[in-house]
Amino acid sequence: MGTIIDGKALSKSIRKELKEEVTRLQEQSNKAPHLVVVLVGEDPASQSYVRAKNRACERIGIKSTIIEKDDSITQTELIDLVESLNRDKAVHGILVQLPLPDHIDDNTIIDTINQSKDVDGFHPLNIAALQIGTPGVLPATPKGIMTMLESVGVELKGKKALVVGRSNIVGKPVAQLLLRQHATVTIAHSRTQDLKKECLEADVLIAAAGRAKMITGDMIKPGATVIDVGVNRVDDKLIGDVDFEAAKEKAAHITPVPGGVGPMTIASLLQNTVECFMNIENLK
Ligand code: GUN
């Protein structure tokens, strides 16, 4: 049976260290990092994510403001709001919660966020930096995944890594980070012909497709490391993309849902906010 990578505990220790760091920076600069989260509409999942982010910030001394807008807001009005936050010297991080209503183009809004305040790491310049390997803000979920792999000392060099899912938020950026650590990376998706075959070859499997229990126990290579990014709500319960009970019998390391990737995404967002604050205020 594999060991469970406890994202909740790891996130807690990162948040404890960050709290000390924020206190030190605050004493040094007389300023506190300030994250502004923009929430458009009333999607319950988005509301709950935004509240969790807000709470996590406040607990470690990051000032957090939620700006809620009705989903009748126009794209131009939202661009104006983001531009005013770009100009505001008292704001160090801007996060526009996705998805946005259909009449607003996500990419246009992300392009508007100043790269240095882009705590999500979604701006094209941050994506380019990720691809090239130059300094930039890393997307929170992929960053949290890499921190988890590092925490259990998983060797990536020369290993086969399979990413199931090709989203801009998780699949594509985590593939880049695995490549940076010298893994041989494959990205599988809905049109992949033999997913089981690809999975059985993977030393590291990242499941980020958004389908409950799509990765079954017989798809896991014995001794593999399995990271489950899935958050599927089934009968009011959170279920991962991996059949955890079956997969943990085969894997060497595996993340649970909940308590795995989710808390690490929040920890990484906090790290990114502190990083943006330090860069903008020129702090060390
Ligand atoms: N919606 C789901 N995940 C995310 C995220 O990481 N950032 C933003 N901005 N929106 C999201």
Side-chain angles (χ1 to χ4, degrees), residues 192-258:
T192 296
Q193 290 206 336
D194 192 344
L195 180 62
K196 182 173 177 181
K197 174 176 163 287
E198 300 291 345
C199 288
L200 281 170
E201 288 178 3
D203 302 302
V204 177
L205 196 160
I206 315 285
R211 271 180 51 204
K213 293 192 183 181
M214 67 174 290
I215 308 291
T216 48
D218 60 345
M219 295 165 88
I220 308 291
K221 177 179 176 177
T225 296
V226 179
I227 307 287
D228 191 350
V229 188
V231 272
N232 309 289
R233 208 166 276 279
V234 181
D235 297 334
D236 246 22
K237 273 174 68 180
L238 280 190
I239 308 282
D241 286 357
V242 177
D243 181 352
F244 179 80
E245 290 306 324
K248 81 172 191 301
E249 300 303 323
K250 297 266 193 71
H253 307 281
I254 185 165
T255 64
V257 177

Side-chain angles (χ1 to χ4, degrees), residues 38-54:
V38 179
L39 175 61
V40 180
E42 297 192 350
D43 176 59
S46 291
Q47 285 175 330
S48 126
Y49 289 142
V50 163
R51 273 197 292 272
K53 289 170 186 177
N54 179 258

Side-chain angles (χ1 to χ4, degrees), residues 38 46 49 53 95-99 120 122 140-141 169 265 269:
V38 179
S46 291
Y49 289 142
K53 289 170 186 177
L95 185 152
V96 179
Q97 187 67 23
L98 303 176
D120 266 324
F122 292 169
T141 301
I169 294 182
T265 296
L269 170 69

Side-chain angles (χ1 to χ4, degrees), residues 150-166:
E150 200 185 341
S151 77
V152 285
V154 174
E155 174 69 273
L156 293 170
K157 199 189 297 179
K159 300 292 181 188
K160 287 196 172 182
L162 177 71
V163 180
V164 184
R166 54 176 159 178

Side-chain angles (χ1 to χ4, degrees), residues 77-277:
E77 286 167 337
L78 190 54
I79 289 173
D80 287 348
L81 171 61
V82 170
E83 283 177 344
S84 75
L85 296 170
N86 284 342
R87 285 190 301 271
D88 189 337
K89 287 200 164 42
V91 173
H92 306 98
I94 303 168
L95 185 152
V96 179
Q97 187 67 23
L98 303 176
L100 291 166
D102 288 347
H103 65 277
I104 300 177
D105 179 47
D106 292 2
N107 288 328
T108 303
I109 301 303
I110 291 167
D111 284 3
T112 309
I113 299 172
N114 187 308
Q115 181 200 7
S116 63
K117 299 188 179 184
D118 170 34
V119 288
D120 266 324
F122 292 169
H123 189 281
L125 289 171
N126 279 321
I127 304 284
L130 165 65
Q131 179 130 355
I132 298 164
T134 49
V137 182
L138 297 176
T141 301
K143 178 172 175 160
I145 291 169
M146 299 309 286
T147 307
M148 281 199 280
L149 292 174
E150 200 185 341
S151 77
V152 285
V154 174
E155 174 69 273
L156 293 170
K157 199 189 297 179
K159 300 292 181 188
K160 287 196 172 182
L162 177 71
V163 180
V164 184
R166 54 176 159 178
S167 68
N168 289 335
I169 294 182
V170 184
K172 286 183 211 163
V174 80
Q176 286 291 345
L177 291 175
L178 291 162
L179 184 61
R180 206 186 266 188
Q181 297 303 318
H182 316 290
T184 301
V185 183
T186 302
I187 304 180
H189 45 78
S190 52
R191 316 280 163 86
T192 296
Q193 290 206 336
D194 192 344
L195 180 62
K196 182 173 177 181
K197 174 176 163 287
E198 300 291 345
C199 288
L200 281 170
E201 288 178 3
D203 302 302
V204 177
L205 196 160
I206 315 285
R211 271 180 51 204
K213 293 192 183 181
M214 67 174 290
I215 308 291
T216 48
D218 60 345
M219 295 165 88
I220 308 291
K221 177 179 176 177
T225 296
V226 179
I227 307 287
D228 191 350
V229 188
V231 272
N232 309 289
R233 208 166 276 279
V234 181
D235 297 334
D236 246 22
K237 273 174 68 180
L238 280 190
I239 308 282
D241 286 357
V242 177
D243 181 352
F244 179 80
E245 290 306 324
K248 81 172 191 301
E249 300 303 323
K250 297 266 193 71
H253 307 281
I254 185 165
T255 64
V257 177
V261 173
M264 289 303 295
T265 296
I266 298 229
S268 304
L269 170 69
L270 300 175
Q271 286 175 323
N272 285 351
T273 305
V274 174
E275 188 182 312
C276 290
F277 172 60

